Amino acid sequence: MSRQVLQVFEQYQKSRTQFVQTVAELASRPQNIETLQNAGVMSLLRPLLLDIVPTIQQTAALALGRLANYNDDLAEAVVRGDILPQLVYSLAEQNRFYKKAAAFVLRAVAKHSPGLAQSVVDCGALDALVICLEEFDPGVKESAAWALGYIARHNAELAQAVVDAGAVPLLVLCIQEPEISLKRIAASALSDISKHSPELAQTVVDAGAIAHLAQMILNPDAKLKRQVFSALSQIAKHSVDLAEMVVEAEIFPAVLTCLKDQDEYVKKNVATLIREIAKHTPELSQLIVNAGGVAAVVDYIGDSKSNVRLPGIMMLGYVAAHSENLAMAVIVSKGVVQLAIALSEEQEDHIQAAAAWALGQIGRHTPEHAKAVAVANVLPKLLQCFLRTDVSEDLQTKSKKALKNILQKCVHLPALEPLLHDAPPNILKHVVGQFSKVLPHDSKARRLFVTSGGLKKIQEIKAEPGSALAEYINTINNCYPEEIVKYYSPGYSDALLERVEQYAPNKS
């Protein structure tokens, strides 16, 4: 009889094991998710989390994690099913395999939305996850760090909750562990905490994170470098003090070599880090220039496409915005040429808008700066972006502003002349204004202006009497003899022909 009982229990255990293994396997394939959900698999898995057999507990948790990871509806179902408290309890009590599986479920729930992440916090998961960061097993630490990062990434309140639970010093210890995957996840979690506010970033800095992150910038592992550069840029972006702390870790010029990394994300994250440092002050930008950073970023823009290019484009704009000398450093490094190429080549409005903005920052300082931008044939391209009706308002606004910034300094007339024929009135007045500044003082330019058809074009412009445009036109006309102005005025040839017809020659 006792043998029969044992057989029944063995059979029952085999069935449970087979069930959870099959569900976990099925849950790894998206096409099965809906069917499993409709079959009520959640309520069947929940009691198995309390099973007396550890492997059944772990596999049930794995299956739940895979389901919750799939979409927010299933994650909501895990919360509604009151499964989280059980997982949190087990994080403290069970073996390392179960802890990894339980942390995976918490991460899978937390990732979808701030509300779901808050549910994970509300069930007391943070303290349990932080304790897991002190486990001997690196896999448990990694799973816990991953879950904490997914909670922290949503907003400042959740990130603060992670900080308050004491996670940051332990995450900093994790990036010093030998396991590469643990380093990656811990660096990612520190990045997710730092991004929300200067105070949160300061907490990460106070735990000594910068020095340890800086030591890994030349690590051969691309995925680790992605996270390291992301974390450093999330720290540096908030304030001058934080950016200076990142720079003081002596990351230059070493980081510049990573702009040529094989991995696109590494390159983009490095360019983002340099941008976040450069934007704060002229001194920080000058430091980057002195390290060869502008030339390196110009090359990077030339070698990149689309969104990978974007942080580099913005970095040049920030550097140039600070001062005449820094803008000249961008010009000398052939930055204008690469920005002009990006403005022409790129299809996405936001990248073109960034290039237009950066060119405006370079050209707005002096006539010399404006000429450097104008000779790259940028002005017609900016005008085209401004006039297009099929682009975003942001691109139109930034193109218009850049045009005005450059035009107000540009006295290189050959570059301005094409705009006389194409520019709408609100841009045209700036173009004519520049001619009115230069022509009174330059006889060679006055002659060229006549032979190129510029003077004729000026006479065709209809300006409101008393407007700035009318004043500019008068100033230009006053540079020439009256008969020349008349000759190029509309209708003058008809008047001449009329006089010819009416002219009666003296008959001798």
Side-chain angles (χ1 to χ4, degrees), residues 429-450:
K429 72 175 178 194
H430 298 290
V431 181
V432 177
Q434 294 309 102
F435 280 102
S436 76
K437 285 179 196 171
V438 178
L439 293 174
H441 314 290
D442 189 335
S443 58
K444 193 176 168 192
R446 289 199 293 273
R447 182 185 171 86
L448 270 172
F449 195 58
V450 174

Side-chain angles (χ1 to χ4, degrees), residues 455-462 484-495:
L455 186 63
K456 179 174 185 292
K457 178 64 191 167
I458 287 287
Q459 307 316 312
E460 293 165 7
I461 296 169
K462 292 178 172 53
I484 293 287
V485 175
K486 264 189 184 168
Y487 179 76
Y488 285 107
S489 297
Y492 182 70
S493 54
D494 295 339

Side-chain angles (χ1 to χ4, degrees), residues 216-326:
M216 298 188 284
I217 56 178
L218 294 178
N219 192 290
D221 184 76
K223 287 180 181 171
L224 174 59
K225 281 190 289 190
R226 288 180 195 176
Q227 302 304 340
V228 166
F229 289 125
S230 170
L232 289 171
S233 45
Q234 298 293 8
I235 292 167
K237 75 179 184 183
H238 293 292
S239 70
V240 178
D241 289 347
L242 287 165
E244 284 175 347
M245 286 178 186
V246 172
V247 169
E248 282 160 13
E250 297 181 358
I251 60 169
F252 289 104
V255 291
L256 301 178
T257 60
C258 298
L259 284 170
K260 294 191 180 299
D261 202 275
Q262 296 295 305
D263 187 278
E264 296 248 296
Y265 292 102
V266 170
K267 290 199 296 188
K268 186 180 178 188
N269 289 359
V270 176
T272 304
L273 170 60
I274 300 169
R275 177 193 77 193
E276 297 297 7
I277 294 168
K279 76 181 183 186
H280 290 293
T281 64
E283 291 75 20
L284 283 167
S285 278
Q286 189 63 57
L287 186 143
I288 292 167
V289 170
N290 296 347
V294 168
V297 169
V298 170
D299 289 345
Y300 161 83
I301 295 170
D303 296 338
S304 308
K305 293 280 176 284
S306 193
N307 272 321
V308 180
R309 239 182 195 166
L310 186 59
I313 290 170
M314 292 178 72
M315 179 268 186
L316 294 185
Y318 281 129
V319 172
H322 287 305
S323 72
E324 289 177 20
N325 289 344
L326 286 165

Side-chain angles (χ1 to χ4, degrees), residues 156 160 163 168 193-206 238-239 242:
Q160 189 63 54
V163 169
V168 171
I193 292 165
S194 302
K195 72 181 182 182
H196 299 290
S197 71
E199 294 75 21
L200 285 161
Q202 189 66 54
T203 307
V204 171
V205 172
D206 291 344
H238 293 292
S239 70
L242 287 165

